[in-house]
Structure formats: structure tokens, C-alpha cells
Amino acid sequence: MAEPGSELPESAEAAGPQDGGQAPLPAGSSAGPQERAEKAKPDLLQEDDPCSDYGSRDKPGTALGRTVPDGNVLFPDIFHTDHLLFYERFKAYQDYILADCKASEVKEFTAEYLEKVLEPSGWQAVWRTNVFEVLVEVVDVEYSALKAVVQLSEPFLCESRVSTFTMECMQELLELKERQIPLQELWVVYDESGEFDQTALAVEHVRFFYQCIWRTWDEEEEDDFDYFVRCVEPRLRLHYDILEHRVPSGLVADYQNLLSQCEELYRKFLNVRNSISSSDSDSEVENVTMVEGLKLYEEIEHLKQKLKLIENPLLRYVFAYQKSSGLQAKGQRPTGTKVTHVVSSIMMASLLQSLIRDKLCPESCGEELEIQFHNDPLAAVNACYEGDTVIICPGHYVVDGVFCIADSVELEGYGLPDDIVIEKRGKGDNFVDCTGANIRISSLKLVQHDAVEGILNVHHGKTTLENCVLQCETTGITIRTSAELLMKNSDLYGAKGAGVEIYPGSTCTLLDNGIHHCKEGILIKNFLDEHYDMPKITMVNNMIHNNEGYGVVLVRPTMPSDVKDPSADRTKGNTQPTQAGDGTACLEGFRQEQLPECVTDELELYEQAEVSEQTEGNYEIANELGATSAKKSQMHKKRLSELGITEADDNLMSQEMFVSIVGNQFKWNGKGSFGTFVF
């Protein structure tokens, strides 16, 4: 098992854009800013650099495209620069602009870069704000302030979104600003000669940096590290991962909300700090203000850590995030009837006879059936109400959309899974979204393409998956908080993330499945700070093999007892399994004596197999999960005690992870059968 925190599971997102440019210069270089900048900036006009996005003045004509501005005013065309590729921005910031600068040196390095590439005057730009757009001419550049000195162009062109701005009003506004406009508010007017290509690109790099990379609190961070490596590269990769739909929409929403919260709190913190620094008194009011400032500082640091975790392509993969499905159940049909939907691309007489004999015969069903025919499985599912059944005949079905199953319905393949293939095309977070109280899917092969999240996502209720084949592309199956999955006799493979993701507070039963050729086999997630019950997990006779990382990975917070705890021995697999009286190996991580039975109605008793290299992971996993469950329970009790709750109902504060780990085989997993990630 991995030492706590020593190894991280690699994520599907970890691949990210691969055109990473050159390696950054060593952090902590003793050279001064000017010397380091010169080392990092080759000749910007060299012609033999195929990756350079700066063009060459020796080549006639522009290398950049043009964009026609929106709106009613006939502004001149502007350079099209907001489409740059990841490696172009990466190379510009690493090699030409920031090099190995510290956060406090960013503005200085940027100014030095602009002095080398930005034309000081003689070019036009559209000055854009949230209120207006106006055409201006640049007459000078204040490099150290990252601003351009401008004057209104002739003829006067202006478009306002709020009220009409006259030329006199705009002149007055420019006078108030001392005619200095931030470069990121300027869009360079297109010029065919190529003379202003570098100027347009330089302005774009400055604009993108301050809009998408820079954070207002960066300058106050420690200066011991290379700013590009620590902040710029992960944020740039995250930006392009989001653009290229490699990050789930729920996680993107989480990140944007965290960023907004952090920016708002930081503004409040600056106001509080300024009020303290401007006051000379030592009054009680000031003391209260200092306490408020410290509280804001702690909240900001906490949010910043969460942002960094999401920015890291490895860490963002291991944590759970909240996501609402938004699916609404239809309920029963107004007529109260239940319908059997038959899906077949071509209905032959022989197939219909077989269906009537095996599935649609009134004698076998006990009642008269209402039948609807479809040639598309997605249309059939969309037509379902509570209690309906969908029978899918052999064939290869290609669907462009998401199966949203909000009612208790049954999807059943008529034949072997390999003969009934449903293949997803087109973009989308998921392939199958389940929120119904009792959904059953059987004898189907699902093939996933172009999804950001998993092949099947269980948001609420119980989903049973039996005798299915799941060919994944990103994550496999996700069981979210309060949801339940029973997966039997199925085969799952190909996930670039985890084959199965288990969220806190969920219930997951895996029986006789194959989970293989994924990044990780099973990932047991945790929220960063929210408190939820541990998941209830049952794994019996599964074959978990040929995964790139671990067979099973547990994400858990650092416990106070991690330093010295007798249970630590158990996490290393030193404890032997307990033996049930009937000879069945049944491992429970916690409150073993209170476990009702090793197997429920869904389980059958399995004879104990000889302990071998392939099966010893069962004991290691069960013991680690049990130890974690016990520690979380103790922490929760302590939390309640601090709140003055001395007696609590055991059911209310139950934190056990019901674990039955029996007869599973772990073979040829790249990093071993089990690993923990401690945060």
C-alpha cells in the first residue's frame, strides 16, 4: 500500500495539453530580473523558430487573421488573436515574458517584454469597456504601468451600451484618466503590412494573463517559488482543459464559485486591513476589526487551497464535487397503464415471433400488454413513464445524446450484450444519468465517446446493472452521495479515470465483475471539507486487473491518530482476516459484531479461497477502510461533543463503512492492489 500522501492516482485530466514547450528555468536563480529576462528571451524576430508566434518583420504581410467587430458602428477590423493554442501561450509566458520570475516581479518582467516588442506609437485600437467602445490612436506607451497613452481617432467612432457618449464626454473622460488606458482594454486594429503583428500578440498576452491567470492575491504569496511553475502553468492548463471539455461541468461550476467567493472575501479583507493601517488608536473597535481580519484571512487561505487543488490535474481527479442532475420524474401515466417499448432497427417476422414467445406473451406476463415500437433506444427511454420496460433487440445503435432516466424503468437487452451495442456520439458530460428510485439495466453493451464524465452516473435512487459490458472513455461509473449501485456479472474497461467512483454517503455492491484496463480500478472519493457518512461497500468475487495505477484507491483526510495509532499496523495488511463459522472469509472494517450478515438478499455465500498474492488485497482494503471509518466516527463524536451534544443516537452519527471484501482478485495492476491518498 502507498504511504499516506506519497503517491497520487493519476487522472484522466492529467494528460492535459501535451505541447508544453520548454522546461522552466531553475527556480531560485541568483541572477537579477533583467539578467534572467535576457536569458529567457531569445531573439523575438528569429525566422528559424517554427514554434514562434511572433512572426518576422522580414516577411511581407501579416500572419494573423482579422475579426469584424460586432455592433452597429462600422469600426475597422481588428486582429484575431484570442484563438491562440495552448503551446503558443505557454511558450510566450515561459520563454519570453515571465521566465523564472517571482510573483512580485511579474509586472516588471512584463514591462521589459513589452519594451522589446510593442510599437510605442502609430497604431490604432478599439478601446472596450462594459459601457462603450471607442476608436483611439496610441501616441505613447507607459511600459511600467502597462498602459497606453491614447487620443481619439478621427473620425470619431463610438458605440455606447447605456447612453450616448458625445465626443466631448469622451474627451473629458480621457482627461480624467490622464489619457492612459490599460493595455488589456485595447484591441489592435488590423493592418495587412504585418508591422503590428507583434504588438497585437503582445497586447493579447497581457490581456489574457490578467483576465485568466493573474489573481489579485498572487503578489502577496511567498516568493520562494517560480511563479510560472507554481501558478501560471496549472491555471493555463486548467483553462484549456475547460475549453476542450476535459473537465466536468460540475467541477467547472465549483471552481468558478470558489474563485468568486475568494475574490469577494479578498476585497473585504483589503478594506479591513486598510482601515486598521489608517487608524492610530488602540480601541476595542480596532481589536474587533483585527479579529475580523484574521477570520477573513483564514477563510481566504482555505478557499485558495481548494482552488489550487482543482487547478492541479492530479488532485482535482481524486476529490468529490457536488452536482445536481436536474432530472424530474414523470411518475405514472395519466391512464395508469405500463408500456413495454420494443426497440429494433429492423423488425423481422422471426424476431417478432421470438419476442412474443419469450417476452410479450400475455400468459407469461399475466396481463394484457400495451406495446410501442421504436427504432432508437434514446427515443424509447424518453417515452418511458414509471414502471415501463424497454426491450432492445440485437443491433448496433448510435445515439447522439444522454440517457436521462428519472423514473423506475427497466432496460433489457434481448440477447447477448455483445450483440446489443449502444454507442454514444457527440459531446456531453455523461452517457447515462440515473435518478429513478429503482432502475434496472441488463444485457447491454454501452460504448462511450466524447463524454467529459463517466459512462453511467447514479445521482439518486438505486440502479442495478447486470450482465452488461461498458466500454468507457473517461470515467466509468459514478455513484454519488445517497445513491446506490448494484453491479453484477458485468465487464468494465477503458476508463482514462477510475472504473468505478464511489462518493461518500453512497452504497455500492459489486459482484462477479471484471474491472480492467482503466487508470485506476475503483476510487473511493472524499469531499474537501463537507462531512458525510462513509460509503457502504460490498465487493465479492470481482476480478480487478491490468489497471494502470492501483486496483482500489481510498481518498481520506489526515486523522489526528495518523502519527501514532495502533490501527496503523492494520493498514499495512498485518491483520489476518476473521473467519466466519461457515468458513466464509468475511471482513468488516468496523463494528464487526454488529454486522447483520456477510451477505444480503443480493449476495450468495462464497466458499473461502486460499489466501494468495492475488487475493491478499481483500484484507488490506477491508482493514484500511475499517480503520478510516472508525477514525471518522471518533472525529464526528468529538465534533458533537464540542458543540455540547454529549449523547447522540448511534444511527444519526453512524460513520461505519460497511465493508465486505471477499474473494476478489487483484492482478497486474501497475501500482498494486490498494493505495491511499491522504490530504
Side-chain angles (χ1 to χ4, degrees):
M1 182 185 68
E3 292 298 322
S6 63
E7 288 233 44
L8 303 180
E10 297 180 15
S11 73
E13 293 88 11
Q18 296 300 315
D19 305 301
Q22 302 173 12
L25 297 175
S29 171
S30 59
Q34 181 67 32
E35 293 175 78
R36 282 183 280 148
E38 293 298 333
K39 289 179 183 178
K41 296 173 185 172
D43 181 3
L44 299 181
L45 303 180
Q46 60 187 353
E47 296 183 34
D48 58 349
D49 182 3
C51 294
S52 173
D53 55 355
Y54 293 93
S56 172
R57 286 178 181 162
D58 296 334
K59 296 179 180 179
T62 178
L64 299 176
R66 65 200 299 168
T67 298
V68 179
D70 297 329
N72 299 320
V73 176
L74 296 178
F75 285 109
D77 294 354
I78 58 177
F79 280 106
H80 185 202
T81 56
D82 58 359
H83 66 298
L84 299 181
L85 302 176
F86 168 83
Y87 84 90
E88 293 176 308
R89 296 195 193 275
F90 185 101
K91 187 175 180 65
Y93 293 127
Q94 184 187 51
D95 293 352
Y96 304 140
I97 304 176
L98 301 175
D100 63 343
C101 75
K102 301 172 182 178
S104 59
E105 300 173 330
V106 165
K107 197 169 185 179
E108 179 183 353
F109 270 59
T110 304
E112 291 172 359
Y113 155 75
L114 291 175
E115 286 185 46
K116 294 179 181 295
V117 300
L118 199 67
E119 293 291 340
S121 61
W123 47 281
Q124 288 186 313
V126 177
W127 174 23
R128 290 179 176 173
T129 70
N130 293 330
V131 180
F132 61 82
E133 295 182 9
V134 64
L135 185 64
V136 296
E137 182 176 350
V138 175
V139 296
D140 197 5
V141 176
E142 292 290 336
Y143 297 104
S144 60
L146 308 184
K147 292 183 177 181
V149 181
V150 304
Q151 63 184 21
L152 295 178
S153 294
E154 295 182 2
F156 174 68
L157 293 177
C158 178
E159 182 173 17
S160 171
R161 293 173 176 81
V162 177
S163 59
T164 303
F165 274 74
T166 64
M167 186 174 180
E168 290 72 22
C169 292
M170 196 60 65
Q171 289 283 17
E172 187 176 341
L173 178 61
L174 284 176
E175 292 298 330
L176 290 173
K177 290 180 170 287
E178 298 180 343
R179 298 188 175 273
Q180 295 186 12
I181 306 301
L183 286 171
Q184 58 261 40
E185 294 181 7
L186 299 178
W187 272 256
V188 182
V189 169
Y190 182 78
D191 184 277
E192 293 182 347
S193 69
E195 183 179 357
F196 300 112
D197 282 18
Q198 294 180 85
T199 295
L201 285 166
V203 172
E204 170 62 27
H205 288 316
V206 171
R207 175 168 45 249
F208 181 87
F209 177 80
Y210 282 101
Q211 286 182 352
C212 303
I213 305 296
W214 180 255
R215 309 286 183 250
T216 52
W217 53 82
D218 279 353
E219 210 162 14
E220 299 190 12
E221 293 277 343
E222 295 179 7
D223 257 358
D224 297 336
F225 300 99
D226 183 334
Y227 179 70
F228 179 86
V229 173
R230 185 185 62 182
C231 295
V232 177
E233 182 178 357
R235 292 172 186 169
L236 184 62
R237 288 188 181 277
L238 175 62
H239 177 85
Y240 276 88
D241 282 347
I242 292 172
L243 279 183
E244 294 163 16
H245 306 290
R246 284 195 290 264
V247 182
S249 58
L251 191 56
V252 174
D254 273 6
Y255 183 77
Q256 292 170 343
N257 290 336
L258 287 170
L259 194 57
S260 298
Q261 290 175 38
C262 200
E263 289 171 345
E264 179 64 27
L265 288 176
Y266 189 70
R267 282 192 290 269
K268 292 180 180 178
F269 173 75
L270 290 180
N271 292 334
V272 170
R273 187 173 66 179
N274 292 337
S275 67
I276 293 174
S277 60
S278 62
S279 175
D280 297 330
S281 64
D282 191 19
S283 63
E284 182 178 345
V285 174
E286 184 176 346
N287 291 335
V288 172
T289 305
M290 291 183 67
V291 171
E292 181 186 354
L294 288 172
K295 183 179 178 181
L296 285 171
Y297 178 80
E298 291 176 356
E299 292 180 22
I300 292 167
E301 288 300 310
H302 180 64
L303 290 175
K304 284 161 61 177
Q305 290 304 314
K306 294 178 76 171
L307 287 170
K308 288 178 181 178
L309 289 172
I310 298 176
E311 289 164 359
N312 186 305
L314 296 180
L315 296 181
R316 84 170 75 119
Y317 163 71
V318 301
F319 290 106
Y321 59 90
Q322 299 284 12
K323 182 178 180 181
S324 174
S325 66
L327 300 180
Q328 295 293 326
K330 296 180 183 178
Q332 290 189 343
R333 258 187 195 77
T335 59
T337 58
K338 295 179 181 179
V339 173
T340 297
H341 304 264
V342 177
V343 180
S344 180
S345 52
I346 300 176
M347 181 58 70
M348 306 298 290
S350 58
L351 176 60
L352 183 58
Q353 288 176 349
S354 299
L355 279 170
I356 292 174
R357 181 186 67 243
D358 299 335
K359 298 291 182 181
L360 307 178
C361 179
E363 288 78 10
S364 62
C365 301
E367 59 182 16
E368 191 69 25
L369 290 178
E370 180 180 336
I371 303 171
Q372 294 182 10
F373 290 92
H374 309 264
N375 57 13
D376 177 18
L378 185 58
V381 170
N382 290 339
C384 282
Y385 283 77
E386 183 78 13
D388 283 5
T389 299
V390 179
I391 299 175
I392 304 176
C393 298
H396 191 121
Y397 305 90
V398 177
V399 299
D400 188 354
V402 179
F403 286 90
C404 300
I405 309 175
D407 294 278
S408 296
V409 300
E410 181 174 352
L411 275 68
E412 176 185 353
Y414 182 55
L416 298 175
D418 286 333
D419 296 331
I420 308 159
V421 180
I422 303 177
E423 183 176 355
K424 180 188 184 302
R425 296 289 184 184
K427 297 291 183 181
D429 273 1
N430 299 309
F431 189 0
V432 182
D433 268 344
C434 298
T435 61
N438 190 8
I439 297 169
R440 300 183 67 88
I441 303 173
S442 61
S443 301
L444 297 176
K445 180 175 181 178
L446 304 180
V447 180
Q448 176 193 35
H449 295 290
D450 296 328
V452 181
E453 294 189 60
I455 195 167
L456 189 145
N457 203 323
V458 187
H459 293 273
H460 307 291
K462 179 180 179 179
T463 295
T464 299
L465 199 66
E466 185 171 5
N467 194 32
C468 289
V469 176
L470 292 92
Q471 180 180 317
C472 311
E473 186 171 79
T474 51
T475 303
I477 299 174
T478 300
I479 311 104
R480 295 189 174 273
T481 300
S482 301
E484 180 178 356
L485 172 75
L486 170 59
M487 179 175 169
K488 299 192 295 185
N489 302 312
S490 295
D491 192 42
L492 185 153
Y493 60 92
K496 295 177 184 176
V500 179
E501 285 188 354
I502 304 173
Y503 271 55
S506 65
T507 301
C508 180
T509 303
L510 304 174
L511 311 176
D512 296 293
N513 302 292
I515 301 173
H516 56 98
H517 293 93
C518 303
K519 181 68 74 173
E520 313 287 343
I522 298 170
L523 177 61
I524 304 170
K525 288 196 167 189
N526 211 316
F527 289 103
L528 281 171
D529 50 7
E530 292 89 345
H531 179 74
Y532 283 90
D533 290 350
M534 296 291 283
K536 297 177 175 62
I537 301 173
T538 301
M539 293 171 55
V540 177
N541 276 21
N542 299 284
M543 174 69 80
I544 302 173
H545 64 96
N546 288 103
N547 296 293
E548 185 176 332
Y550 292 100
V552 177
V553 176
L554 169 67
V555 181
R556 68 173 179 85
T558 302
M559 308 292 184
S561 55
D562 279 340
V563 180
K564 287 186 179 181
D565 191 340
S567 66
D569 292 335
R570 297 202 304 270
T571 67
K572 297 180 181 179
N574 294 337
T575 315
Q576 294 301 317
T578 57
Q579 299 293 322
D582 59 358
T584 303
C586 184
L587 294 183
E588 288 76 38
F590 189 62
R591 290 194 177 180
Q592 185 177 353
E593 70 282 356
Q594 296 185 13
L595 186 64
E597 289 183 18
C598 294
V599 288
T600 63
D601 296 338
E602 303 287 354
L603 297 171
E604 297 179 0
L605 292 175
Y606 294 85
E607 294 185 1
Q608 177 186 5
E610 181 180 353
V611 177
S612 65
E613 183 178 355
Q614 289 110 16
T615 58
E616 63 184 5
N618 292 281
Y619 315 130
E620 185 179 18
I621 295 168
N623 285 323
E624 175 66 13
L625 299 185
T628 301
S629 176
K631 290 173 185 176
K632 284 201 73 173
S633 179
Q634 293 167 4
M635 291 174 65
H636 186 52
K637 290 176 183 178
K638 183 179 178 181
R639 222 177 269 123
L640 292 177
S641 178
E642 290 172 351
L643 294 172
I645 304 174
T646 55
E647 295 183 4
D649 179 30
D650 282 342
N651 293 328
L652 174 66
M653 51 190 288
S654 172
Q655 292 300 306
E656 301 87 24
M657 181 185 295
F658 163 49
V659 182
S660 180
I661 310 289
V662 184
N664 302 286
Q665 294 190 53
F666 301 86
K667 293 183 179 181
W668 310 304
N669 295 297
K671 295 182 181 178
S673 57
F674 183 55
T676 55
F677 171 55
V678 180
F679 65 96

